[in-house]
Amino acid sequence: MDEIVLKNVTQEGVPLEVTYLPGKGMNMVSYKKGDIEVMDLSTTPLFEERYAGLGSLIGPHFHKRKPEVLPVLSNEDRFPHIARIRGKSGNVDPFSHGVGRYAPWTYEATEHSVKATLTGKDEWNGVLLKDIENQDFKMEFQAELQPDGLHLNLSVVSDSDSVVGLHYYYALPKKSGVVRSKVQNNYIAIDKVLPIPGDWGYDQATQELNFTLDNEADYTFHPFPDATQGEIILDAVDHQLKTSFVSDSEECCFQ
């Protein structure tokens, strides 16, 4: 299987290594600092079954499309994951979270970086990707492994409104942890905007969320005070992972 391995070292001399699979949706299957593995490798079976798990991408659409806009593919047998999904869940979006996490990407790589592109005019198993997405599009992904960490850039231009993002599964070696981030005092639950509950560790004065991961909240949060950028700390007990993000759009959020 074709893979890209980026390597570098921290200023303290600790090795950094990132592994991507460009032929499998540019999935990031490993991110290591010395002996610390950031990715949750227990999700590998999800990746092997239906391209989920590990370091998946989102785009050009997010989650599951409405049935009326799903593509009609006469050659679904060319995509074995579809049968596995429908066998468990019935008639659902066969490319949940967008074709970007499934299809092979075109790329150029160096020791420290990779640039990759995916367009609606690309073919996968004899099918144009724009026929899977019901629109033409161009997604661009760039990763550069620097001494201070992994720098990512992900973008999309498309015929219709689109969404791009990261759907990375991070490791919790101690089976517990905390997510910290300054967010607006509300969250989105499907089609409702609600105030953040008091037991979610939200500090009204600082507007910082301290969410313990023995709870569950698959909801949407928006950064504060700037709607276009923020920082998320994952305290996994054995290590901390900082994600800093900046967006060109105010439709910028995380779950």
Side-chain angles (χ1 to χ4, degrees), residues 183 186-188 196 200 209 217 219-223 252-255:
V183 299
N186 54 60
Y187 69 100
I188 299 176
I196 295 178
W200 283 7
L209 183 70
Y219 305 124
T220 303
F221 299 93
H222 289 86
C252 173
C253 56
F254 70 91
Q255 286 184 235

Side-chain angles (χ1 to χ4, degrees), residues 90-108:
N91 188 20
V92 297
D93 188 344
F95 296 95
S96 178
H97 297 297
V99 74
R101 71 165 50 198
Y102 303 83
W105 289 61
T106 301
Y107 69 92
E108 295 179 354

Side-chain angles (χ1 to χ4, degrees), residues 8 10 12 20 23 31 58 61 138 145 186 202 217 246 255:
N8 213 323
T10 69
E12 297 75 27
Y20 289 101
Y31 180 16
I58 294 168
H61 73 269
K138 182 179 182 181
L145 189 58
N186 54 60
Y202 186 70
V246 178
Q255 286 184 235

Side-chain angles (χ1 to χ4, degrees), residues 54-110:
L54 298 175
S56 302
L57 297 180
I58 294 168
H61 73 269
F62 177 55
H63 201 48
K64 299 174 183 177
R65 292 168 288 182
K66 295 180 179 180
E68 57 266 28
V69 299
L70 289 177
V72 178
L73 301 177
S74 59
N75 38 24
E76 286 190 358
D77 59 317
R78 299 182 185 181
F79 308 97
H81 78 278
I82 296 179
R84 292 193 288 269
I85 292 173
R86 290 201 169 133
K88 290 186 175 182
S89 306
N91 188 20
V92 297
D93 188 344
F95 296 95
S96 178
H97 297 297
V99 74
R101 71 165 50 198
Y102 303 83
W105 289 61
T106 301
Y107 69 92
E108 295 179 354
T110 68

